[in-house]
């Protein structure tokens, strides 16, 4: 009898807990309904355009035929992964890694350096003017920017003409396969380095000015204040952007490279993005192209998780907390 009463008491307690939890959830939903409605469009956007398309990765394991659809196309197991044994794929992979390393070494630190220079300008008017000037290339399309590059360093551009006038051989940097990775990286810096300073400038504004004043009182000169106050203050943001960049390191600029690929040839200009376009979309090899895209995504995810774990090991937050 006593045992039955204790069991009944525990059951009543669990029922009360479930009732409180349910009531608490409903109360929180009622309390936050305005914010939830504001979040709903963004949530639906990610579900419809980013998560639902993930189901299309099923064609990686199928001999996908558009007229048969997802259900009608026959399964081929891991047959589409044979694309990774093709010489063309390794050529595209090697070029992609070459572009990725150059962009990581040259392009990634460019916005940080530019933000530090802008932050060192004391006159607010001059700083705002320079900021506006360096932001503008971000709004220029790749077609226009590449046309400007052609006018500057192309075969009949300004640079070859100047070289010819001083008796030096004319060079066409727009069609030079060896210079192409550097050309792509420099164009990317030109277009987006200024735009990338926005986040760094916001991080610099959040550094407490009392730190600078204390460092100045202790006798720290400009460089020591930069090293001991400014750089530590933007380390979290820099790590965050670095980790996010690692996630898309194998996406090195489809439109920019596609527009210039024919000028330098496939040996120098083929990257994974253009490989997927030519072999997947134009040649109708949907399964192998999807396999390349899937592996790209997996590598990006592994790099993000690995870099985030490394950041945690060194005491930083990374892109999410432990």
């Amino acid at each position: 009898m006593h045992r039955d009463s204790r069991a009944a008491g525990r059951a009543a307690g669990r029922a009360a807990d479930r009732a409180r939890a349910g009531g608490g959830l409903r109360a929180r939903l009622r309390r936050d309904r305005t914010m939830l409605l504001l979040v709903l469009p963004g949530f639906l956007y990610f579900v419809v355009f980013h998560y639902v398309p993930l189901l299309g990765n099923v064609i990686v394991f199928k001999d996908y035929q558009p007229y048969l659809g997802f259900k009608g196309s026959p399964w081929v197991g891991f047959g589409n992964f044979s694309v990774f044994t093709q010489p063309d794929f390794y050529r595209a992979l090697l070029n992609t890694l070459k572009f990725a390393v150059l962009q990581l070494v040259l392009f990634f630190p460019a916005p940080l350096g530019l933000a530090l220079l802008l932050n060192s300008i004391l006159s607010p008017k001059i700083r705002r003017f320079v900021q506006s000037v360096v932001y503008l290339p971000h709004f220029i399309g790749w077609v226009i920017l590449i046309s400007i590059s052609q006018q500057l360093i192309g075969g009949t551009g300004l640079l070859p003409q100047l070289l010819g006038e001083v008796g030096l051989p004319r060079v066409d940097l727009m069609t030079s396969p060896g210079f192409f990775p550097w050309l792509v990286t420099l164009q990317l810096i030109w277009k987006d380095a200024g735009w990338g300073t926005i986040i760094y400038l916001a991080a610099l504004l959040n550094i407490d000015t009392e730190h600078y004043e204390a460092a100045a009182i202790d006798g720290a000169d400009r460089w020591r204040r930069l090293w001991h106050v400014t750089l530590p203050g933007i380390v979290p943001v820099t790590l965050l952007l670095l980790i996010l960049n690692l996630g898309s390191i194998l996406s090195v600029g489809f439109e920019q490279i596609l527009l210039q690929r024919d000028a330098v040839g496939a040996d120098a200009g083929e990257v994974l993005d253009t490989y997927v376009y030519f072999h997947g979309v134009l040649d109708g090899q949907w399964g192998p192209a999807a396999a390349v895209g899937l592996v790209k995504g997996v590598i990006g995810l592994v790099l993000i998780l690995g870099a985030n774990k490394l950041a945690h090991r060194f005491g930083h937050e990374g892109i999410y907390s432990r």
Side-chain angles (χ1 to χ4, degrees), residues 44-159:
L44 291 176
Y45 166 79
F46 278 100
V47 169
V48 173
F49 294 105
H50 290 268
Y51 287 97
V52 172
L54 289 176
L55 300 175
N57 281 319
V58 70
I59 69 173
V60 172
F61 307 102
K62 287 195 165 196
D63 181 16
Y64 179 68
Q65 303 296 329
Y67 57 87
L68 295 177
F70 290 110
K71 292 183 178 179
S73 300
W75 292 94
V76 295
F78 290 93
N80 288 324
F81 287 88
S82 63
V83 67
F84 298 116
T85 63
Q86 302 296 321
D88 289 351
F89 169 78
Y90 279 104
R91 180 184 62 187
L93 177 62
L94 186 62
N95 286 335
T96 302
L97 293 176
K98 195 185 301 180
F99 283 94
V101 170
L102 272 179
Q103 292 181 9
L104 191 64
V105 173
L106 298 180
F107 172 68
F108 178 75
L112 173 60
L114 188 56
L116 293 175
L117 288 175
L118 289 172
N119 191 57
S120 66
I121 298 176
L122 297 179
S123 171
K125 289 184 178 178
I126 296 177
R127 185 166 60 238
R128 283 196 292 272
F129 173 75
V130 175
Q131 281 180 252
S132 301
V133 170
V134 298
Y135 289 169
L136 282 178
H138 175 75
F139 300 99
I140 300 175
W142 277 117
V143 174
I144 297 175
L145 197 143
I146 291 170
S147 299
I148 296 173
S149 301
Q150 182 68 37
Q151 295 301 317
L152 292 176
I153 60 175
T156 57
L158 179 62
L159 179 63

Side-chain angles (χ1 to χ4, degrees), residues 207-235:
I207 299 177
D208 196 339
T209 55
E210 291 183 358
H211 296 325
Y212 289 104
E213 294 170 359
I217 292 172
D218 290 340
D221 59 12
R222 190 171 188 144
W223 291 107
R224 285 190 176 275
R225 290 199 294 272
L226 171 67
W227 184 256
H228 294 289
V229 179
T230 304
L231 292 180
I234 58 175
V235 163

Side-chain angles (χ1 to χ4, degrees), residues 239 242-244 246-247 298-314 316-320:
L239 277 176
L242 177 61
I243 294 172
L244 292 177
L246 288 176
V298 171
I299 291 175
L301 177 63
V302 170
L303 287 176
I304 284 181
L305 295 177
N308 199 65
K309 190 173 183 60
L310 199 60
H312 289 166
R313 183 161 296 183
F314 285 96
H316 296 283
E317 288 289 335
I319 57 174
Y320 56 83

Side-chain angles (χ1 to χ4, degrees), residues 164-183:
E165 290 178 0
V166 297
L168 295 175
R170 294 171 177 263
V171 292
D172 185 358
L173 296 177
M174 294 295 291
T175 58
S176 171
F179 186 70
F180 188 60
W182 299 92
L183 174 66

